Amino acid sequence: MDRRKPPQTEEGWYVLHDFRTVDWDGWRAAPDRERKRAIEEGVEYLQRHEALADADAGGSAVFSVLGHGADLLLLHLRPSMADLDTAERRFERTAFAEFTEQTDSYLSVTEVSGYMSQGYFEGEEVEDTGMANYIESRLKPEIPDSEYVSFYPMDKRRDPEYNWYDLPFEERANLMSGHGDIGRDYAGKVTQIITGSVGFDDYEWGVTLFADDPAQIKKLLYEMRFDPSSSRYAEFGSFEFGRRFPPADLGALLAGEPVPAGESDHPHADAHGEGGHHGEDTEDEGDTVRDVLDEEGIYAGQPHGEDVHAMVLYSGADPAELEEDVSGLRSNFEHYDTHVKTAVYDNPDGGESAVVSIWETASAAETAGGFLSDLPGIVARARGGENEKGFGTMGMFYTTKPEHRDDFVERFDTVGDLLDGMDGHDETDLLVNRENENDMFIASRWRSREDAMAFFRSEEFRETVSWGREVLADQPRHVFLA
């Protein structure tokens, strides 16, 4: 038999699941001063690592593990294996570590593979697509603020009847795609981090699932059990289930008190901040755009860009079929408080449709992009010139008065002619919400921020904004594209 060619992979951050049990007999017998010191050093360690005081990037979180497998899960994501090594050993130096024992651990690395996007590994341009953001979020994921976590390792079977590694690539890719369809049905309910562990640990992959409703994790895994990629080809290790708590509540947890102990249901979210626009020179970029637009009466978000973020993907699929698929995802997204809206916008000129998903944080928008990027017909939309990343963060939403809709479209055509002649302009599209023809979205791509700002400062733009006050139903709104 010919040797199968393995799918290509790209690795991102390294991951350590560190499971600990507490020596409860020793803890109860210890003097108060020793327990106080242990709690203080434990809290300090956990808080420093959640705040990334030990590294430039990554994430950490601590969970109370239910059942007999462990008492605590310390989860670390770091850019290098050396960072994990240091984090693990530093915990052992705390007074709290003297009361714990490592009962299990799992070492792995985030990855993307050719099953997800073969074009990515063949050098195709994906800079301005939801797929590009999805790949980035898979390689460098944020630990969600969800309350519950489930972790398990898994292998692909190699038995004589069902040997995953003897299947042709196309068949494996189709099975993985069908498996992913189930996961997309749980968008907004369950978030996953998939990591590879070949050569690092006893299994081939680790799966970490996060949700605010623990039953959703069970429902997802139960449904996946009936999918052929699992029922025929998957072997699973032990499952561990936990509940996240803020590091400051370590003492309350050890005392058997309810956690989180604060007023908020999820106080650990405070450690992550509000979330911001991802990219270079983010604050300066946002402030510059905001200042100019604010002068013209266009709402452009709060300071530092934490107001709303849009994930915009383009699709060549049939708009009606696309809208049906998006409707299913939107119903799941609406379970999240950070979701603003998700809709399909048509291009009146016959170009690709756009799927626009708006969220209150960039991280939520990027997570949504992971699900949306698997919609049918998603196409690459390069920023800037052929070899330039460009400045693709211009997005403007308008709601017209019904009686002035045609006037607005005609005016856009006039402005479009102006844009075509401006230095650094690549493309600007007017797209119309399929569910509300008066809701329109203008997306502009420029080769640089300076080129875009030249347009926003132009007299023609100011005149258009002034004219728009008469035909728009409400204030135009700028969003930062995630």
Side-chain angles (χ1 to χ4, degrees):
M1 178 179 290
D2 294 336
R3 183 171 70 89
R4 300 295 185 192
K5 184 178 180 180
Q8 293 175 274
T9 63
E10 181 168 334
E11 287 66 36
W13 287 345
Y14 293 88
V15 185
L16 175 65
H17 292 72
D18 186 354
F19 292 95
R20 303 270 169 167
T21 58
V22 176
D23 176 7
W24 293 109
D25 290 337
W27 182 255
R28 285 187 290 267
D32 287 344
R33 64 179 183 279
E34 289 186 15
R35 286 188 292 182
K36 182 175 182 295
R37 175 169 168 259
I39 292 172
E40 289 175 350
E41 292 189 13
V43 169
E44 180 183 11
Y45 171 89
L46 296 172
Q47 287 180 332
R48 283 179 56 82
H49 283 72
E50 276 207 5
L52 296 178
D54 65 310
D56 295 330
S60 288
V62 59
F63 301 84
S64 170
V65 178
L66 287 75
H68 71 281
D71 293 307
L72 298 171
L73 164 59
L74 281 61
L75 175 60
H76 300 295
L77 289 78
R78 292 294 186 271
S80 74
M81 193 74 83
D83 292 329
L84 291 184
D85 181 32
T86 302
E88 186 176 15
R89 287 185 287 107
R90 280 180 175 167
F91 178 78
E92 295 292 358
R93 296 184 60 182
T94 67
F96 178 58
E98 297 177 12
F99 294 96
T100 73
E101 179 181 353
Q102 187 181 61
T103 55
D104 199 0
S105 66
Y106 204 80
L107 183 63
S108 56
V109 63
T110 61
E111 68 175 19
V112 296
S113 73
Y115 296 130
M116 183 185 305
S117 175
Q118 189 63 30
Y120 173 76
F121 293 96
E122 294 174 353
E124 294 182 6
E125 178 63 68
V126 293
E127 280 291 340
D128 198 34
T129 67
M131 178 59 75
N133 289 284
Y134 184 42
I135 289 172
E136 181 75 4
S137 69
R138 288 289 295 263
L139 294 175
K140 301 176 181 179
E142 292 187 10
I143 299 175
D145 288 335
S146 305
E147 184 172 0
Y148 294 98
V149 65
S150 175
F151 171 78
Y152 61 94
M154 64 169 292
D155 284 335
K156 289 297 187 183
R157 284 181 182 149
R158 296 179 180 83
D159 64 41
E161 184 177 5
Y162 295 115
N163 190 329
W164 175 260
Y165 296 96
D166 279 345
L167 297 177
F169 174 83
E170 291 75 14
E171 187 172 349
R172 283 180 275 127
N174 287 335
L175 286 167
M176 293 298 292
S177 177
H179 201 63
D181 288 342
I182 299 174
R184 285 186 287 278
D185 289 340
Y186 288 81
K189 300 176 184 178
V190 181
T191 303
Q192 63 181 7
I193 295 179
I194 309 296
T195 53
S197 47
V198 174
F200 295 157
D201 222 305
D202 294 340
Y203 287 79
E204 295 169 330
W205 289 278
V207 180
T208 311
L209 304 176
F210 303 86
D212 285 320
D213 180 356
Q216 293 300 324
I217 294 176
K218 175 182 177 294
K219 292 178 184 294
L220 168 62
L221 294 176
Y222 183 67
E223 187 172 347
M224 284 187 167
R225 287 298 185 274
F226 290 88
D227 183 72
S229 64
S230 290
S231 62
R232 296 178 185 175
Y233 296 104
E235 300 280 2
F236 302 96
S238 298
F239 284 71
E240 300 287 357
F241 196 89
R243 181 169 178 259
R244 191 167 180 180
F245 68 92
D249 284 352
L250 177 62
L253 180 84
L254 296 170
E257 299 173 1
V259 294
E263 295 181 359
S264 170
D265 288 336
H266 301 289
H268 55 261
D270 294 340
H272 301 285
E274 293 289 340
H277 177 67
H278 290 211
E280 297 179 1
D281 302 326
T282 301
E283 185 171 330
D284 291 340
E285 173 185 305
D287 289 344
T288 303
V289 173
R290 183 178 297 103
D291 292 343
V292 173
L293 297 180
D294 185 63
E295 292 175 3
E296 300 304 320
I298 298 175
Y299 182 73
Q302 302 170 12
H304 309 298
E306 72 271 54
D307 185 41
V308 290
H309 299 257
M311 175 63 64
V312 179
L313 304 89
Y314 296 88
S315 173
D318 177 80
E321 295 180 4
L322 184 66
E323 186 174 26
E324 183 177 348
D325 290 340
V326 169
S327 177
L329 286 173
R330 181 172 56 225
S331 65
N332 291 332
F333 291 160
E334 288 172 351
H335 288 85
Y336 271 42
D337 293 338
T338 53
H339 179 250
V340 178
K341 77 172 181 178
T342 298
V344 176
Y345 286 71
D346 280 344
N347 190 326
D349 294 329
E352 299 100 351
S353 299
V355 181
V356 178
S357 190
I358 304 176
W359 298 75
E360 292 180 0
T361 66
S363 60
E366 289 177 0
T367 299
F371 295 99
L372 295 167
S373 63
D374 287 331
L375 289 167
I378 296 298
V379 296
R381 302 277 289 195
R383 293 179 182 172
E386 181 178 353
N387 298 314
E388 299 179 47
K389 185 175 181 181
F391 180 65
T393 61
M394 293 288 93
M396 203 82 70
F397 284 87
Y398 300 87
T399 302
T400 64
K401 297 176 182 177
E403 65 271 22
H404 290 297
R405 181 188 182 282
D406 292 341
D407 296 332
F408 182 86
V409 174
E410 182 178 349
R411 182 75 176 200
F412 172 80
D413 290 338
T414 301
V415 175
D417 293 338
L418 168 67
L419 291 172
D420 289 340
M422 294 196 70
D423 292 337
H425 175 255
D426 279 320
E427 185 176 359
T428 294
D429 296 315
L430 172 66
L431 303 118
V432 181
N433 190 336
R434 287 179 58 84
E435 298 177 347
N436 178 6
E437 67 173 7
N438 298 311
D439 175 14
M440 303 187 202
F441 169 58
I442 295 178
S444 232
R445 291 200 302 274
W446 301 79
R447 293 190 181 92
S448 72
R449 181 178 62 193
E450 290 73 21
D451 293 329
M453 295 311 302
F455 169 65
F456 282 116
R457 292 191 177 101
S458 69
E459 187 63 31
E460 291 83 356
F461 177 73
R462 296 176 189 275
E463 290 177 358
T464 299
V465 171
S466 178
W467 171 84
R469 294 190 178 99
E470 303 298 323
V471 303
L472 297 179
D474 56 21
Q475 192 178 37
R477 187 184 192 101
H478 173 275
V479 300
F480 296 90
L481 303 190

